[in-house]
Amino acid sequence: MFSLRWIVISLILSLGLAACTSAASPTESPAEPSVPEVAPVEEASPAPPAAEELPADEPPPTGAAAQFSTDFSKHSVSYGDILSGGPPKDGIPAIDAPSYVSIEEANEWINDIEPIVAVEVDGVARAYPLQVLTWHEIVNDELNNKPLSVSFCPLCNTAIAFEREFDGQVLDFGTTGRLRYSNLIMYDRQTETWWQQATGDGIAGEYTNEQLTFYPAAMISWADFKSQYPDGDVLSKDTGFNRSYGRNPYAGYDDISQRPFLFDGDYDDQLPPMERVLTVELNDETVAYTYTVLEDKNVANDLVGGESIVVFWAEGTASALDEGSIASGRDVGAAVAYASGGKNFLVDNSLIKDEETSSTWNIFGEAIDGELKGESLSPVVAVNHFWFSWAAFKPETRIYQP
């Protein structure tokens, strides 16, 4: 039986389900989709079927053929695994013509602890506030002449940047209104191929079995971003759409004792379904670093796919999925991964230091004191997830143990 708390959460979601669920015009509030029942916890399932095992004549998801020109005869996943979140195509509007404000201007409406997605291209940095991304999911952008799409799926807590240059063209992405394992399914407007946000895989259409290129993006606090990048700019909340930026329509969703929403899969019970993890995938090996361990240790030295990496964790970043106001979310911290460059790191009096020179490092992988001051580590693509969804996509994932 659901708790009263979960019933309240479901009501809030039904009124404000903007990420992965609601259709709306630029001047309207989101529609009010129905709230399906939450699936019971089941035993872990095997990996999804390989493409060759799929029925050749499997019909596409209900309503998809009328909304899309996608070649649905090509697909790498079962259409039975895809759920409708309620909206039609582009019901959650991507931001296609983003505008930006300065650090000083953004400081008037972003609180220090609020989470943002930080992206840097050759020294030019931009912040994408989750208070905006929560309501749009995708920003088609260009940063320092590099076409990028920055995406966020609140139901899985996944903030991912992709390179838009693909197969000799620049892709623009929109939302399909569909989910798989609770995760956003995007589509590109050039071919209408469907893409899984969590993995970057083409799952239906012309580019089935192709993969987008990830670009490093970190979910950190506004305070950390503006301190590190005083000359950076910020995605504006002047989007042309009427949304309650700063409000979290998923209040209480990331309670670790709760079950996921709109998840029609099986659970891997190695971790609680709503455990926050940072995942790294290198050379066919995937590792998940739990926030529980990272908060305790602050540093994780590891070998992934034969490459030495390090994960840094720092306090001071709010959950975007906790309280009704994003700025009021509890502090869950932030985690970022880097190639370690042969160094081993530890925590000394709350400071991150390398064992070799005792230089001090910050969350941005920059040596800020000591012999190596001014040197920087190379970022590794690492993505935040809730465990339930990532484990459904990558059941072979190793869970880091210190």
Side-chain angles (χ1 to χ4, degrees), residues 51-105:
E52 59 270 21
E53 298 174 353
L54 299 174
D57 58 349
E58 185 177 19
T62 302
Q67 295 174 12
F68 294 86
S69 60
T70 308
D71 181 357
F72 287 110
S73 69
K74 299 177 181 178
H75 58 111
S76 59
V77 303
S78 171
Y79 290 133
D81 290 337
I82 295 175
L83 300 179
S84 171
K89 173 185 182 181
D90 291 322
I92 304 159
I95 298 176
D96 295 316
S99 59
Y100 318 101
V101 296
S102 67
I103 295 286
E104 182 179 9
E105 291 173 286

Side-chain angles (χ1 to χ4, degrees), residues 21 42 45 66 106 110 150 193 217 242 343 372 389:
T21 55
E42 301 174 6
S45 64
I110 308 178
V150 179
T193 297
N242 181 18
K343 302 175 185 66
L372 300 180
S389 183

Side-chain angles (χ1 to χ4, degrees), residues 335-391:
V336 188
Y338 301 94
S340 65
K343 302 175 185 66
N344 203 56
F345 294 85
L346 50 77
V347 176
D348 182 11
N349 291 325
S350 299
L351 298 175
I352 297 174
K353 297 189 175 185
D354 64 81
E355 290 185 353
E356 290 75 17
T357 72
S358 292
S359 297
T360 302
W361 301 75
N362 65 13
I363 188 68
F364 294 95
E366 179 182 1
I368 56 175
D369 192 25
E371 180 182 332
L372 300 180
K373 183 177 179 179
E375 292 194 15
S376 297
L377 302 174
S378 298
V380 171
V381 171
V383 181
N384 283 274
H385 297 272
F386 288 133
W387 171 248
F388 78 90
S389 183
W390 182 249

Side-chain angles (χ1 to χ4, degrees), residues 141-372:
D141 204 359
E142 184 174 298
L143 181 57
N144 202 12
N145 299 314
K146 190 173 192 65
L148 295 169
S149 280
V150 179
S151 63
F152 178 62
C153 180
L155 294 184
C156 301
N157 194 46
T158 50
I160 304 175
F162 297 103
E163 297 187 13
R164 292 168 55 202
E165 292 182 304
F166 184 88
D167 195 23
Q169 58 191 320
V170 176
L171 302 179
D172 299 308
F173 295 93
T175 60
T176 63
R178 273 75 174 180
L179 309 166
R180 178 167 166 259
Y181 302 142
S182 251
N183 182 249
L184 160 69
I185 298 176
M186 313 182 298
Y187 79 98
D188 71 73
R189 299 194 180 113
Q190 284 64 38
T191 71
E192 301 218 328
T193 297
W194 287 23
W195 302 88
Q196 191 73 60
Q197 187 242 11
T199 63
D201 293 330
I203 61 172
E206 181 176 336
Y207 289 130
T208 296
N209 290 320
E210 299 290 340
Q211 188 175 49
L212 299 172
T213 300
F214 288 75
Y215 192 85
M219 194 187 301
I220 59 173
S221 73
W222 170 240
D224 283 339
F225 179 86
K226 65 183 180 179
S227 174
Q228 183 72 10
Y229 302 110
D231 297 323
D233 62 12
V234 185
L235 175 69
S236 173
K237 62 178 180 178
D238 183 11
T239 63
F241 295 90
N242 181 18
R243 297 294 187 272
S244 299
Y245 298 124
R247 184 173 71 85
N248 165 30
Y250 303 88
Y253 176 67
D254 70 345
D255 185 330
I256 199 167
S257 65
Q258 293 291 358
R259 295 176 181 176
F261 186 68
L262 287 172
F263 180 70
D264 190 24
D266 299 325
Y267 293 85
D268 184 325
D269 59 6
Q270 294 182 83
L271 295 171
M274 302 300 288
E275 175 78 50
R276 290 170 180 267
V277 296
L278 186 78
T279 64
V280 174
E281 187 170 10
L282 290 171
N283 303 326
D284 298 323
E285 184 180 12
T286 305
V287 184
Y289 303 84
T290 70
Y291 268 54
T292 300
V293 168
L294 292 174
E295 182 177 1
D296 180 52
K297 301 298 184 182
N298 293 180
V299 169
N301 297 287
D302 203 6
L303 191 68
V304 182
E307 298 187 25
S308 296
I309 73 158
V310 62
V311 178
F312 293 163
W313 180 93
E315 64 183 1
T317 302
S319 165
L321 302 167
D322 182 27
E323 298 294 335
S325 166
I326 290 177
S328 300
R330 72 186 187 282
D331 185 353
V332 295
V336 188
Y338 301 94
S340 65
K343 302 175 185 66
N344 203 56
F345 294 85
L346 50 77
V347 176
D348 182 11
N349 291 325
S350 299
L351 298 175
I352 297 174
K353 297 189 175 185
D354 64 81
E355 290 185 353
E356 290 75 17
T357 72
S358 292
S359 297
T360 302
W361 301 75
N362 65 13
I363 188 68
F364 294 95
E366 179 182 1
I368 56 175
D369 192 25
E371 180 182 332
L372 300 180

